[in-house]
Amino acid sequence: MVFVMADRKSASYVASKKATVIDVARTAGVSKSTVSLVLRGGVGVKARTIEKVNAAIDALGYVYNREAAGLRNRESNMLAIVANDLANPYLAQVIIALETALTDQGLVPVVVNINESEARQRSLVASLKEHNVAGFFITPAPKTSADWLQGLASAGYPTVCLMREIAGANVPVVVPDNRRGMYLSTKYLIDLGHTRIAFVGGVESISDYQERKEGFLSAMQEAELAVKDSDIEPSSTKREGGQLAVTRVLDRDPSISAMVCFTDVVAYGAYTALRDRGLVPGKDISVVGFDDLEDSRLMSPALTTIRVNAEDIGRVASERMQQCREHSLSSDNDVVGVKLMVRSSCCAIGDKVAHSTSVPKD
């Protein structure tokens, strides 16, 4: 048994148990990662810092277990899925499809939710790196920097972006064909005779918003239809965001006869806003969504929307990750196809009942 004086409490603590890297770091006044660098050879570490770490190792009697370190450094079968918002039902579908694809490959998916916070994204990614994950799928938060994302990939962590692109980051991206999807929905409304069409919902700082907006503008310009600044109203991607965006648009211009919505969830909010004004979706104002959630065909009226197959997103993303880990992939984007699903939320100008043109109904 070892007896010590009270004023030597810390020394007693170390003497009664095996010293750890954390003990060494605390004694030397450096970080745990710096101690690890010194133990692996000290490349890039100042000579004075190496001396402090070695002095702490000697004082504490720390023993570096190289076999255990080797085991820790073996390639992990865990892959992190960093979700921007797990409350988003379409993203949940993509994650389920991705988890299935990864599990079929014998890999272990770990899902974390950053709730659209860039700070939380950085913190959770740092923690996941400490737990030896082998790579990252990330739907990046707004304000994510290209340098940070590129740095993650350059540090040896294969990284695939889902649903969003960060300009300047040299990493693979898997996205739906946002431009074509919104072009198809806008053109469909134009073919029904609508000339006053609004684009509602979505956060301006993310890439999918810009791509869908471009698709909307392309169809309107092709038809030589004017678009006012007031015809475009960004908002949060939640239901209440759609409700607020539609209210603002119609307060400014009651002549709007149709609207394309950033997502199906935004469209659900649009339905609420229209009914609050005594208007009937699909009769008084036509509405189109984007994603084709399972609930969309059950809405009243059933929602016309753009289908993006979540299973395709998950499958392609898992394939790209495998190629990244094998160092056989460029940073080119994978664009997954989309399809217009015509239901009863749209009608031709002057019609009192919803109907389609040449596009078959779902």
Side-chain angles (χ1 to χ4, degrees):
M1 183 176 295
V2 178
F3 293 92
V4 296
M5 298 296 291
D7 60 355
R8 299 179 63 192
K9 183 177 179 180
S10 61
S12 168
Y13 176 72
V14 171
S16 64
K17 72 180 188 69
K18 184 179 290 187
T20 68
V21 170
I22 294 174
D23 296 326
V24 174
R26 185 182 297 116
T27 301
V30 298
S31 68
K32 177 183 172 183
S33 59
T34 298
V35 174
S36 298
L37 282 173
V38 173
L39 291 170
R40 293 198 299 268
V43 177
V45 182
K46 294 180 180 179
R48 176 56 184 154
T49 301
I50 294 174
E51 291 175 4
K52 288 165 59 178
V53 171
N54 285 331
I57 289 171
D58 291 339
L60 298 175
Y62 173 76
V63 178
Y64 182 39
N65 189 332
R66 294 187 181 278
E67 182 177 355
L71 287 171
R72 286 193 297 272
N73 289 329
R74 288 181 184 174
E75 187 165 0
S76 168
N77 67 343
M78 290 192 302
L79 290 169
I81 303 174
V82 182
N84 64 301
D85 181 9
L86 281 177
N88 180 324
Y90 181 73
L91 182 62
Q93 289 182 14
V94 170
I95 290 174
I96 290 170
L98 181 54
E99 283 184 313
T100 300
L102 295 175
T103 302
D104 289 345
Q105 297 174 27
L107 300 168
V108 179
V110 179
V111 182
V112 297
N113 183 33
I114 59 175
N115 198 27
E116 298 287 26
S117 167
E118 192 270 342
R120 181 171 171 80
Q121 176 178 267
R122 284 178 178 267
S123 175
L124 286 175
V125 166
S127 295
L128 289 163
K129 287 163 68 176
E130 292 179 1
H131 286 82
N132 201 29
V133 297
F136 291 90
F137 297 94
I138 299 181
T139 302
K143 300 182 181 179
T144 298
S145 75
D147 288 345
W148 177 81
L149 197 58
Q150 179 63 57
L152 185 63
S154 299
Y157 294 95
T159 302
V160 176
C161 279
L162 294 174
M163 309 305 293
R164 295 176 180 174
E165 178 181 5
I166 300 298
N170 191 32
V171 299
V173 181
V174 182
V175 292
D177 195 339
N178 290 304
R179 292 181 182 85
R180 177 158 179 77
M182 199 57 78
Y183 170 86
L184 289 175
S185 61
T186 306
K187 187 176 187 303
Y188 174 66
L189 291 170
I190 293 170
D191 289 345
L192 290 176
H194 295 277
T195 59
R196 296 294 298 122
I197 305 171
F199 172 66
V200 296
V203 179
E204 293 179 279
S205 61
I206 56 179
S207 62
D208 48 356
Y209 173 88
Q210 297 300 330
E211 291 165 0
R212 293 178 193 186
K213 178 181 172 182
E214 288 169 9
F216 165 71
L217 292 174
S218 175
M220 296 292 283
Q221 290 165 1
E222 183 181 276
E224 298 183 346
L225 295 174
V227 178
K228 303 176 184 177
D229 291 342
S230 58
D231 297 340
I232 299 175
E233 183 63 36
S235 71
S236 82
T237 55
K238 300 185 185 298
R239 185 185 290 237
E240 55 266 29
Q243 184 177 358
L244 180 60
V246 169
T247 298
R248 288 174 174 170
V249 165
L250 293 181
D251 282 348
R252 291 192 297 254
D253 189 351
S255 72
I256 294 292
S257 65
M259 50 190 61
V260 289
C261 300
F262 180 71
T263 63
D264 284 9
V265 173
V266 169
Y268 301 164
Y271 275 28
T272 300
L274 294 177
R275 291 191 171 109
D276 287 346
R277 303 173 81 95
L279 300 173
V280 180
K283 180 179 179 181
D284 296 316
I285 292 187
S286 296
V287 181
V288 184
F290 201 113
D291 287 338
D292 193 24
L293 299 175
E294 292 179 4
D295 286 347
S296 292
R297 69 182 64 206
L298 305 176
M299 298 292 289
S300 179
L303 180 65
T304 297
T305 185
I306 296 297
R307 174 172 291 175
V308 184
N309 192 305
E311 287 73 20
D312 288 346
I313 297 284
R315 174 184 53 79
V316 173
S318 66
E319 291 172 357
R320 295 302 163 261
M321 175 60 73
Q322 184 175 3
Q323 291 172 341
C324 277
R325 298 179 73 190
E326 295 170 353
H327 309 291
S328 60
L329 177 67
S330 72
S331 60
D332 293 341
N333 291 6
D334 282 285
V335 179
V336 175
V338 297
K339 180 180 180 182
L340 176 66
M341 308 304 297
V342 176
R343 301 191 180 111
S344 52
S345 65
C346 299
C347 66
I349 288 293
D351 281 6
K352 295 300 182 184
V353 294
H355 71 279
S356 69
T357 56
S358 60
V359 181
K361 283 193 176 184
D362 178 32

